[in-house]
Amino acid sequence: MRELVFALAYKPGCNRVADALADHPDARVRSLSLHATAERLWRVDHATGTPDALDAIEDAFFTCDYYADCLATEDCGATQTTRVLDRTDDTLVLYADWKRTSSCTSVPHIARDHLGDAVLFETRHEGRHYTWRLIHSGDGDVPSFFDALEVAVGECAQMEMLRTADTGTAAGGRDGTSSGLPAAQEAALQAAVEHGYYESPREVDVGELAEHLDVPRSTLTYRLRRAEEQLAKQHVDGGRAAEERLASY
């Protein structure tokens, strides 16, 4: 089995969910379940944030031009049913069922065309960055998948490759770095350390660091968060492995 992880960084006005999350930087949306056939797509998503953020996210999902991941830039005539399954002060669970038309396309449908039917999907949406994790058999045509995806996305988003590996690959050592981080995240983390971002008190804030690196603030924040998440998981997994080794003596 093979793993593909990539992010789509949406420009303003191109994705209603991305716009809502960009206005509420502390909010998140992650998929609990995502399935696609040739004709349909249905998913359950879990959102967290303030009440105002959840209102904005809910409105984006219920807006008729969103269509649960359709990449068409104009009205494609699809039909969608969206329901709120649960809502609290800081969480929102949404169900969306989307019936596509001949002019519709999406990441899952492009994946089915080029990677085969047996593909698993996991998503996370933060700010303008929409991160996809795909697990597939490895028998498909990955370059053709990304070529088709790039055409479908067009000028609406920039695509950033984060990881491609066998699912059995260890967490460390991916992509030629000792940490296993993608090159962009490695560079962001190194710059943050060198410029005192992690000092207490901080010698530079994220806005100043983003300006120094000549990247959008939201992009730098996203890369640092993903790098910190992966390193934290590696640390915890390493500690558990050490405990298991000691217990076996």
Side-chain angles (χ1 to χ4, degrees):
M1 302 295 287
R2 296 285 295 176
E3 176 189 39
L4 295 177
V5 184
F6 61 92
L8 300 176
Y10 278 97
K11 297 179 181 178
C14 289
N15 182 292
R16 292 290 300 272
V17 176
D19 290 341
L21 290 169
D23 291 337
H24 302 276
D26 293 330
R28 306 280 185 275
V29 180
R30 62 182 177 90
S31 61
L32 298 179
S33 180
L34 198 168
H35 306 276
T37 65
E39 297 80 21
R40 305 184 79 95
L41 184 150
W42 61 99
R43 59 183 299 157
V44 177
D45 289 279
H46 181 273
T48 58
T50 64
D52 287 344
L54 297 182
D55 286 342
I57 293 168
E58 182 177 335
D59 180 67
F61 270 84
F62 275 86
T63 300
C64 63
D65 63 356
Y66 177 55
Y67 293 132
D69 298 316
C70 183
L71 296 173
T73 56
E74 298 180 357
D75 186 3
C76 59
T79 56
Q80 175 172 299
T81 301
T82 304
R83 299 185 182 93
V84 175
L85 299 182
D86 190 34
R87 174 76 188 259
T88 66
D89 288 342
D90 57 2
T91 63
L92 171 68
V93 181
L94 288 160
Y95 167 84
D97 176 24
W98 169 44
K99 184 177 180 179
R100 65 190 297 218
T101 66
S102 58
S103 59
C104 296
T105 188
S106 69
V107 171
H109 290 112
I110 295 172
R112 284 175 54 89
D113 291 341
H114 296 277
L115 303 178
D117 295 342
V119 182
L120 300 178
F121 305 95
E122 182 181 87
T123 68
R124 183 187 306 218
H125 216 154
E126 304 173 55
R128 300 201 176 280
H129 287 81
Y130 194 10
T131 303
W132 286 81
R133 180 174 183 255
L134 278 58
I135 303 295
H136 65 105
S137 66
D139 297 330
D141 190 340
V142 174
S144 293
F145 163 71
F146 281 113
D147 288 344
L149 180 58
E150 187 173 9
V151 171
V153 172
E155 298 296 322
C156 286
Q158 291 184 334
M159 189 161 52
E160 181 176 340
M161 174 59 70
L162 299 178
R163 185 166 66 251
T164 176
D166 291 328
T167 54
T169 301
R174 290 190 183 113
D175 301 328
T177 67
S178 59
S179 65
L181 297 173
Q185 293 180 17
E186 183 83 21
L189 198 63
Q190 182 174 344
V193 171
E194 291 176 350
H195 288 81
Y197 177 74
Y198 290 110
E199 297 297 326
S200 183
R202 284 179 172 164
E203 298 174 4
V204 64
D205 63 28
V206 69
E208 294 168 332
L209 188 59
E211 185 176 350
H212 173 77
L213 295 174
D214 194 26
V215 298
R217 179 191 179 108
S218 61
T219 296
L220 178 61
T221 300
Y222 169 81
R223 290 174 179 173
L224 289 174
R225 282 175 174 166
R226 294 282 66 77
E228 292 162 1
E229 177 187 19
Q230 182 165 330
L231 292 176
K233 289 179 178 178
Q234 288 180 20
H235 176 75
V236 171
D237 289 344
R240 288 173 179 166
E243 290 176 358
E244 291 173 358
R245 288 194 297 270
L246 288 173
S248 67
Y249 292 151

